[in-house]
């Protein structure tokens, strides 16, 4: 029987065997899963929170704390990319991401995010304290589950509520030194929280078609551009009041207070430009959303200057 099978196999033409190689991502793809641009902002705000906290922390624990904040934020970003791989494949600005582009296996990306989440929380707890570790765990859960899996696809207020996810680092940095949460880091949290809507809604005004195609209920898609422009302006006003508040509360001095006042007034000016942009009856821009693009770009500078002013104020 074996001889017969062998003879048949020898006589039959050899089938063409196509070599199947497992998907192999470039190391850069694993870095991209962590959303490095977001991490840079997270690290900066977290470092400021750590720097201004009363008390003392050694250089090594401080470096570990910043590393864990970055790692935790990146881990949440990887889980976000795993969950959003279907809609990322539909939008121009995200279709080249590692998962929708087919360079990283979705299950591997999820495992990557979960493992890094656990490592970041455990390591932070060992290097600093339980309060900081718990706050980091909450921030990861907030972004990966509450925002990504629950809010993002269900409500046009996704950005408003989800803004808390990116606002935690200053609190984590502060808690890494003190072991508790104070009023000043809570106000820094509030600044990022109220900054997020005008920041992202400015972007969503000129990316509305992408969001509509992906079925994401961003405010311009659900309520229209005109309503979104009004909300951008309203949140900019609220942001100005919140950003300046540490000064009259005597938590920070005039260096910060004047910087916050000037920068917030400037951001409000850009948001006023978004609101008053030449538009049709539905609020669609007739200028290619130039004011919205300008407001989005300035919003990045705004947050950097605000947090830099916090550090400078403490130094002087």
């Amino acid at each position: 029987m074996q001889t017969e099978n062998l003879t048949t196999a020898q006589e039959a033409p050899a089938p063409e065997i196509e070599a199947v190689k497992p998907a192999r991502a470039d190391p850069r793809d694993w870095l991209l899963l962590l959303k490095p641009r977001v991490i840079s902002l997270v690290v900066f705000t977290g470092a400021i929170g750590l720097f201004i906290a009363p008390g003392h922390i050694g250089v090594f624990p401080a470096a570990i704390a910043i590393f864990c904040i970055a790692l935790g934020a990146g881990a949440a970003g990887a889980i976000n990319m795993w969950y959003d791989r279907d809609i990322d494949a539909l939008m121009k600005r995200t279709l080249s991401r590692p998962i929708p582009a087919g360079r990283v296996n979705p299950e591997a990306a999820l495992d990557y995010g979960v493992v890094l989440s656990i490592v970041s929380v455990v390591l932070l707890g060992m290097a600093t304290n339980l309060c900081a570790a718990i706050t980091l765990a909450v921030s990861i859960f907030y972004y990966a589950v509450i925002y990504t899996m629950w809010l993002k696809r269900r409500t046009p207020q996704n950005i408003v509520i989800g803004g808390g996810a990116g606002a935690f680092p200053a609190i984590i940095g502060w808690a890494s030194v003190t072991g508790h949460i104070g009023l000043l880091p809570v106000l820094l949290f509030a600044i990022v929280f109220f900054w997020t809507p005008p920041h992202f809604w400015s972007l969503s005004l000129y990316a509305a078609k992408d969001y509509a195609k992906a079925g994401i209920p961003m405010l311009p898609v659900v309520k229209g551009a005109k309503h979104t422009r009004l909300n951008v302006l309203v949140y900019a006003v609220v942001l100005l009041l919140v950003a300046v508040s540490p000064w009259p509360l005597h938590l920070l001095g005039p260096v910060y207070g004047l910087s916050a006042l000037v920068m917030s007034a400037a951001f409000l000016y850009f948001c006023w430009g978004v609101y008053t942009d030449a538009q049709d009856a539905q609020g669609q821009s007739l200028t290619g959303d130039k004011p919205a693009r300008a407001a989005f770009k300035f919003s990045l500078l705004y947050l950097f200057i605000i947090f830099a002013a916090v550090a400078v104020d403490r130094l002087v």
Side-chain angles (χ1 to χ4, degrees):
M1 185 70 176
Q2 291 177 344
T3 305
E4 182 182 355
N5 288 340
L6 179 60
T7 304
T8 304
Q10 289 174 339
E11 294 176 349
E16 293 184 6
I17 300 175
E18 184 177 343
V20 179
K21 295 182 179 179
R24 203 172 202 180
D26 186 277
R28 184 171 178 271
D29 290 319
W30 295 101
L31 176 62
L32 290 174
L33 281 176
L34 303 180
K35 296 190 174 182
R37 288 184 180 179
V38 175
I39 287 180
S40 62
L41 183 60
V42 164
V43 166
F44 180 64
T45 56
I48 295 299
L50 187 148
F51 175 75
I52 66 172
H56 174 73
I57 185 173
V59 175
F60 183 69
I64 294 295
I66 298 302
F67 172 74
C68 289
I69 291 172
L71 193 64
I79 296 173
N80 169 271
M81 285 204 187
W82 162 76
Y83 190 81
D84 280 351
R85 62 192 184 278
D86 57 335
I87 58 178
D88 281 350
L90 299 175
M91 298 193 293
K92 289 181 180 179
R93 68 184 188 88
T94 57
L95 57 83
S96 63
R97 285 177 172 175
I99 300 177
R103 300 191 303 273
V104 173
N105 179 275
E107 288 71 26
L110 175 61
D111 293 342
Y112 180 59
V114 171
V115 169
L116 292 186
S117 297
I118 296 171
V119 169
S120 66
V121 172
V122 172
L123 184 58
L124 183 62
M126 293 173 63
T128 59
N129 56 72
L130 186 61
C131 179
I134 290 175
T135 308
L136 177 60
V138 169
S139 71
I140 294 170
F141 180 81
Y142 196 109
Y143 184 74
V145 178
I146 295 178
Y147 170 68
T148 300
M149 300 181 189
W150 180 32
L151 297 172
K152 186 173 182 178
R153 307 189 190 205
R154 286 177 170 81
T155 170
Q157 296 300 310
N158 48 19
I159 288 300
V160 178
I161 308 170
F168 277 102
I171 292 181
I172 300 169
W174 176 285
S176 295
V177 178
T178 65
H180 62 79
I181 298 171
L183 178 58
L184 181 53
V186 169
L187 289 176
L188 296 181
F189 174 99
I191 290 171
V192 180
F193 183 87
F194 287 106
W195 165 86
T196 303
H199 166 71
F200 270 105
W201 280 337
S202 294
L203 167 67
S204 69
L205 279 168
Y206 57 87
K209 291 182 180 179
D210 253 5
Y211 286 118
K213 183 180 179 182
I216 302 175
M218 290 295 284
L219 198 62
V221 177
V222 177
K223 296 290 187 178
K226 200 166 189 176
H227 183 79
T228 303
R229 295 179 191 282
L230 176 61
N231 276 264
V232 166
L233 182 62
V234 169
Y235 271 92
V237 172
V238 175
L239 175 61
L240 186 151
L241 299 175
V242 172
V244 175
S245 65
W247 186 17
L249 291 173
H250 304 293
L251 297 172
L252 291 169
V255 171
Y256 169 80
L258 292 173
S259 300
L261 183 61
V262 170
M263 291 301 295
S264 297
F267 190 32
L268 180 59
Y269 170 79
F270 277 94
C271 291
W272 175 257
V274 174
Y275 179 68
T276 58
D277 185 19
Q279 57 198 273
D280 61 22
Q282 286 71 44
Q284 298 298 327
S285 176
L286 301 177
T287 67
D289 279 307
K290 288 183 179 179
R293 295 173 192 272
F296 177 77
K297 290 179 180 178
F298 183 80
S299 67
L300 297 171
L301 176 64
Y302 169 85
L303 204 62
F304 174 80
I305 296 296
I306 287 291
F307 275 81
V310 173
V312 172
D313 189 271
R314 277 299 171 89
L315 286 173
V316 299

